[in-house]
């Protein structure tokens, strides 16, 4: 019956043309085929958020997307968050605020938080909590994660206002 | 999961043809947040999956000049609740689309998918019923329109034939002094399936404060989302009062047909129906411009 | 208070953090080897059945399948030896069954066969082609039912163990623990207030986000290399050697990063299966569990039944306590009922005691440790009853506890005396905390407090230090780092050696590169591995001092060390980095070693203070404010100590409000994160913490382990807060909305009938 | 002489005595000395000559000595040995 089909993906700015089985999820293809294992499988059914990636600018569960559905789309994974050796402000804030313990959920939280700050640069604590409700963390109790996101948001606002002034 | 053939449709006609021509079971996939879980857990096996990501007609939120709203069936929840027209004129739709799964799920899960999945707990379905929505369906034999309150037939089963897809949902223009609210009860604050859900919608005569139109629909308390006509009838013609609200809530409780399962017992669900109908009716009245303090009478308007 | 320390007590960025925030670190499922195969396990659909026949021929013929295995491919182990499974032991003869059943299945989800194939999807499809014929047996689904004489027996050869001797008749009761003190009847006769309650709790899961995963490469010389995420590489080695009946030295376990454990990742569920399949194919085999498999076929935390009766005098002194505790072990003996017997009532000086604990087998998954294993359900019971006594006596709940609190020299319920503990200091800190005295406003809101005790572990750790030509130090430890322990270990080394933290590079070793290490569990790492680091530093300084003497051209006896500088007299000094850089000139390289063992315990006390709001119409409880208190001895990295308290508190909140295994006839009805409801960020407020620092008796700095005790008090605190909000006592976990609603309904009906009787 | 604290459920073997004074330089010697004084304790403590039941643990001056090992640990003249049920967990 159905064999492999070609798919074009733009992942973290790089173009990939690969053959996938239609049943393969985007998560499986990112991890096993493209060998970007930063996105994690915690539940496989959209309830933990560890597999979160940005697809065409929206945070999505890559375990709930068939790779064939992602054909032609732009994907950002946690591996694409830093600018080379320059950490994203969220990554820096997570380190400074001790917002990770085991770290398995961290990629998903960073992606989800990034999608929040893109549309709301100045979120309240409640907005952060609401936006991150699809990401489970079992180690931290979320306290330091919420603080890290608020801190990163402030840092990013300060940075962008500096840019505005200099522009 | 067994492998299947994937057809990426570029138009509604292509999608319909791909479904019609499949030799074995086939399903369209929009967001896929329900279908992929069903496939991976072995609850459903398909020969062919027809992708709708690249069908433009299925992805739009269009406010019409007459004030009505057309929504492409594959439009994800986030595009609906972020739409300014929706936020302004159809807040009840925001109630529902903004609680489907997580933010990540809302990026993919579509309004049409929520309806076609026909889960008893589908949070968008009571709202579509309350807003008197019509489903536009296209199949190999042509196009037809189905009212949403008769769309779902059983858990996971709808009126759609194997070669039909849901193309669009159409919601009539709102008029003054009407409002609707959907609420569900879940143990956590997000991410759960409704133990019970209720949507209430009313139109009120602003002078007499008489309820002239009402629709009440429930989730998770029957094999399909249920419209409770008896409760609606009890409201229509009544002046807004705590008694009227309580009467409707009690009828809804008695008309609900819940089962006991891991998410809640039947009697708890019945009780929740009463609470939720009371609360959503109060909320609907507020959205219709009624000062509910007058009718509150000790009833908490909780969330 | 000014700190005497330069590094300890500060909050640096953890050295292993960069790999984690960039997605580069390798976790259990992130092993990729050339030619790797993927394993998939076929699991029993029955909770209790005899396996009549297994036919694997169709799976073997399926394209892409390279090997199939069943119980017949595993050695038969008959020994009754207790095998160290990290935080608990399991009889050797039951251990294989957790990886592969033979002849009989004891719980739904137990492995019965497995395949290795070229892709995960092919493997998953192929296991569906294996045909198994079962003869289903009646399932035992409840601890109290299991204890009845007429209950179906899981094991025909299981006899109740007790200190007074073994039973002669087989039983589902694996163990009966008895503790007593004084004369219980006399105690209750003295009591002026007696409260007795029954409590029911369910199994819960650790809920680590990373499913179990292992990759195994078998070698023709009989050796195995295992990459797996585990809390204890050495314990995995021991258990795999037992299951595969091979010498431990032939197994090398390489621990990957670990995505949470909480006691649940000490057992090699899939690794032995991957090993057998790798032996059959000669290729590396990766096995990763799905979430539904994690729920149904790994070891959850125990639930059970507790009946507790306590009596006090009017002055508040608790004079008697009697407890009946039955814990669900799942399919094979080993529930943490012993810890429940020990930790629940030990915080209070109670002259008359009687405790009976039962370890009971059922057709549920075999339990494993879960953060303070056994402590939480018993903590809920004790702290609820103590709170009720406080209400009956009209006493402040902290004052009541202060009146009865244990101090150093008092004895635990098993007779062992406490060394340095800070329970009274902790209680005093709660009393003085602004949260405790803040006004509470609104309808249906309440504030509850509860305490908890955990003995904490010590055990053995080995640490090596070696030295780089640039003057920096590599710290090699064997304790899996789940929550930032590499940072704490490096901080201790930096403190002792007078180095900057960036000059110490910590690393977790595999089982062939370092001596034995107990696992990361029992709150023991910061304490016991910390001692090993401390001793390794002392060992290093001894040698470095002699090297410094050579460089300073003085007698070794003239050299002193402080703040990273070796000095001889006023004029001569050399930085430790410069001594390290010149090791080649002063005698060559060396390695420093530290081993910990035979340490006293450093017990921990904690408490939760909870403000809740109850929706009486739906029974839903919302946490409004939370403060977690704990005596931490000395916080090495306070941010990660706070993190432990916050994480433990939230696991306790989940246990208290929403988490449970829902069983029907031995089938788990909710094996997903959708219906097994762990708290999300939206369900919680900020979790405030208050650290009390009463130094422990043994070890450097007075450090205590902090990981576990924080999960003990939350359910009790919530229950006590609910009582104060709406006037009902909750005696079931979780206190889910339906349960609270039903309790309120019952109370209302009782009130109505009382009123009508009175009328 | 070391003091051994007998758990209440075993005190039938010691005629109700809670604290027994036993000479001996190692845990092993003390435990054998204890059994010599109260032979009924033998089968309750040991399942083999030098092997305690695995469900027992000993605390020597607050430090746990596992049933399967540590019998050769030194004990001081004023040591306190407490016999307890071994714990699963923690």
């Amino acid at each position: 019956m159905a064999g492999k089909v070609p798919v074009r993906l733009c992942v973290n700015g790089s173009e990939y043309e690969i053959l996938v089985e239609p049943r393969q999820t985007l998560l499986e293809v990112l991890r096993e085929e493209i060998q970007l294992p930063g996105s994690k499988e915690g539940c496989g059914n959209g309830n933990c958020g560890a597999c979160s990636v940005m697809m065409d600018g929206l945070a999505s569960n890559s375990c709930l997307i068939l790779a064939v559905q992602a054909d032609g789309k732009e994907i950002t994974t946690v591996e694409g968050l830093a600018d080379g050796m320059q950490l994203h402000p969220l990554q820096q804030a997570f380190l400074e605020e001790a917002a990770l313990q085991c770290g398995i959920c961290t990629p998903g939280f960073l992606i989800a938080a990034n999608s929040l700050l893109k549309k709301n640069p100045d979120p309240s604590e409640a907005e952060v909590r609401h936006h991150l409700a699809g990401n489970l963390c079992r180690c931290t109790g979320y306290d330091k994660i919420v603080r890290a996101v608020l801190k990163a948001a402030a840092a990013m606002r300060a940075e962008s206002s500096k840019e505005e002034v200099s522009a | 999961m067994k492998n299947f053939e994937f057809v990426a449709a570029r138009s509604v006609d292509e999608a319909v043809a791909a479904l019609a021509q499949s030799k074995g079971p086939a399903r369209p996939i929009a967001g896929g947040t329900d279908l992929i879980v069903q496939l991976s857990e072995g609850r459903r096996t398909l020969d062919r999956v027809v992708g709708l990501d690249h069908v433009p007609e299925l992805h739009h939120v269009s406010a019409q000049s007459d004030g009505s709203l057309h929504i492409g069936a594959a439009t994800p929840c986030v595009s609906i609740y972020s739409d300014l027209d929706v936020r302004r004129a159809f807040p009840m739709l925001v109630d529902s689309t903004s609680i489907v799964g997580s933010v990540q799920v809302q990026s993919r899960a579509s309004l049409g998918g929520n309806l076609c999945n026909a889960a008893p707990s589908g949070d968008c379905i009571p709202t579509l019923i309350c807003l008197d929505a019509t489903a536009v369906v296209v199949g190999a034999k042509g196009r037809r329109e189905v009212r949403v309150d008769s769309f779902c037939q059983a858990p996971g089963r709808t009126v759609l034939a194997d070669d039909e897809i849901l193309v669009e949902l159409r919601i009539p223009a709102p008029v003054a002094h009407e409002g609707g609210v959907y609420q569900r009860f879940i143990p956590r604050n997000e991410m759960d399936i409704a133990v019970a859900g209720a949507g209430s919608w009313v139109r009120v005569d602003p002078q007499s404060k008489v309820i002239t139109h009402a629709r009440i629909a429930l989730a998770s308390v029957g094999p399909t989302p249920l419209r409770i006509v008896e409760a609606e009838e009890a409201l229509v013609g009544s002046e807004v009062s705590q008694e009227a609200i309580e009467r409707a809530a009690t009828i809804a409780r008695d008309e609900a047909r819940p089962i006991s399962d891991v998410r809640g017992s039947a009697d708890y669900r019945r009780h929740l129906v009463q609470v939720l109908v009371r609360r959503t009716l109060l909320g609907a009245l507020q959205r219709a411009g009624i000062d509910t303090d007058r009718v509150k009478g000790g009833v908490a308007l909780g969330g | 208070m000014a700190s005497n320390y330069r590094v300890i007590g500060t909050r640096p960025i953890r050295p292993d953090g960069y790999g984690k925030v960039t997605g580069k670190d390798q976790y259990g499922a992130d092993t990729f080897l050339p030619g790797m195969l993927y394993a998939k396990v076929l699991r029993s659909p029955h909770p209790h059945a005899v396996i009549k026949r297994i036919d694997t021929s169709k799976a073997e013929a399926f394209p892409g399948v390279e090997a199939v295995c069943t119980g017949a491919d595993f050695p038969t182990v008959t020994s009754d030896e207790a095998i160290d499974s990290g935080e608990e032991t399991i009889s050797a003869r039951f251990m294989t069954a957790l990886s592969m059943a033979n002849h009989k299945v004891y719980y739904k989800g137990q492995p019965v066969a497995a395949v290795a194939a070229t892709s995960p999807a092919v493997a998953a499809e192929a296991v569906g082609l294996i045909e198994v014929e079962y003869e289903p047996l009646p399932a035992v689904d409840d601890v109290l039912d299991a204890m009845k004489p007429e209950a179906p027996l899981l094991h025909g050869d299981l006899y109740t163990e007790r200190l007074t001797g073994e039973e002669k008749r087989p039983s589902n009761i694996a163990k009966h623990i008895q503790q007593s003190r004084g004369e219980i009847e006399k105690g209750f006769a003295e009591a002026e207030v007696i409260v007795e309650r029954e409590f029911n709790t369910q199994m819960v899961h650790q809920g680590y986000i990373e499913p179990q995963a292992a990759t195994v490469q078998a070698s023709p010389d009989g050796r195995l290399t295992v990459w797996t995420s585990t809390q204890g590489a050495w314990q995995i080695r021991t258990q795999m050697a037992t299951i595969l009946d091979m010498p431990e030295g032939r197994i090398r376990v390489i621990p990957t990063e670990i995505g949470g454990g909480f006691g649940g990742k000490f057992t090699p569920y899939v690794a032995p299966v991957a090993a057998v399949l790798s032996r059959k194919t000669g290729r590396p085999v990766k096995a990763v569990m799905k979430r539904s498999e994690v729920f149904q076929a790994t070891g959850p935390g125990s639930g059970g039944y507790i009946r507790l009766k306590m009596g006090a005098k009017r002055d508040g002194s608790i004079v008697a306590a009697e407890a009946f505790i039955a814990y669900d072990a799942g399919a094979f003996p080993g529930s943490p009922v012993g810890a429940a017997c020990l930790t629940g009532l030990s915080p209070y000086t109670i002259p008359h005691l009687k405790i009976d604990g039962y370890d009971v087998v059922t057709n549920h998954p075999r339990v494993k440790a879960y953060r303070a294993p056994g402590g939480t359900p018993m903590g809920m019971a004790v702290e609820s009853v103590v709170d009720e006594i406080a209400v009956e006596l009209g006493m402040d709940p902290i004052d009541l506890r202060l009146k009865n609190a244990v101090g150093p020299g008092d004895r635990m319920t098993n007779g062992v005396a406490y060394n340095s503990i800070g329970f009274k200091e902790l209680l005093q800190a709660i009393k003085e905390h602004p949260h405790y005295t803040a006004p509470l406003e609104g309808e249906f809101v309440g504030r509850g407090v509860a305490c908890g005790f955990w003995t904490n572990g010590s055990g053995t750790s080995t640490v090596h230090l070696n030295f780089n030509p640039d003057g920096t130090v590599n710290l090699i430890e064997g304790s899996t780092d789940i929550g930032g322990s590499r940072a704490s270990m490096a901080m201790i080394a930096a403190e002792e050696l007078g180095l900057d933290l960036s000059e110490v590079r910590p690393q977790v070793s595999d089982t062939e590169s370092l001596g034995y290490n107990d696992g990361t569990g029992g709150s023991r790492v910061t304490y016991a591995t910390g001692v090993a680091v401390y001793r390794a530093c002392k060992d290093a300084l001894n040698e470095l001092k002699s090297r410094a003497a050579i460089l300073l051209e003085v007698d070794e006896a003239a050299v002193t060390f402080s703040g990273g500088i070796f000095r001889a007299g006023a004029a001569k000094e050399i930085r430790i980095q410069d001594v390290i850089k010149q090791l080649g000139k002063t005698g060559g390289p060396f390695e420093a070693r530290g081993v910990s063992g035979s340490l006293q315990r450093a017990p921990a006390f904690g408490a939760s203070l909870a403000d809740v709001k109850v929706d009486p119409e739906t029974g839903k409880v919302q946490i409004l404010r939370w403060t977690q208190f704990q005596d931490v001895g000395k916080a090495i990295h306070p941010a990660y100590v706070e993190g432990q308290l916050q994480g433990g508190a939230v696991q306790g909140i989940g246990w208290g409000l929403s988490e449970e295994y829902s069983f029907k006839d031995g089938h788990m009805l909710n094996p997903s994160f959708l219906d097994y409801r762990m708290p999300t960020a939206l369900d919680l407020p900020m979790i405030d913490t208050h650290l009390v620092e009463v130094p422990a008796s043994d070890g450097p700095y007075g450090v205590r382990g902090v990981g576990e005790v924080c999960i003990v008090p939350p359910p009790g605190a919530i229950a006590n807060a609910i009582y104060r909000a709406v006037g009902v006592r909750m005696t079931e976990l979780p206190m889910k909305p339906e349960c609270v609603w039903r309790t309120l309904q019952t109370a209302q009906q009782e009130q109505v009938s009382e009123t009508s009787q009175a009328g | 002489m070391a003091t051994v604290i007998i758990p209440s459920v075993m005190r039938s073997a010691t005629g109700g005595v809670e604290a027994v004074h036993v000479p001996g330089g190692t845990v092993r010697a003390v435990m054998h000395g204890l059994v010599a004084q109260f032979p009924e304790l033998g089968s309750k403590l040991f399942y083999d000559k030098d092997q305690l039941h695995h469900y027992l643990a000993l605390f020597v001056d607050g430090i746990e000595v596992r049933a399967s090992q540590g019998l050769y640990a030194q004990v001081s003249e004023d040591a306190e040995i407490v016999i307890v049920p071994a714990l699963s967990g923690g």
Side-chain angles (χ1 to χ4, degrees), chain C residues 110-135:
Chain C
Q110 192 177 352
V112 292
V115 304
T118 49
S119 82
V122 169
E125 210 173 332
V127 287
L129 301 174
I130 297 173
E131 291 166 10
V132 187
E133 193 188 317
Y134 297 95
E135 181 192 321

Side-chain angles (χ1 to χ4, degrees), chain D residues 6-44:
Chain D
I6 311 295
S8 53
V9 294
M10 285 187 180
R11 277 177 218 154
S12 60
T14 64
V17 175
E18 181 180 356
V20 184
H21 302 289
V22 190
T26 63
V27 175
R28 180 175 174 276
V30 171
M31 297 311 287
H32 281 302
L34 177 68
V35 172
Q37 282 189 41
F38 302 105
E40 249 188 79
L41 277 175
S43 63
K44 293 185 195 299

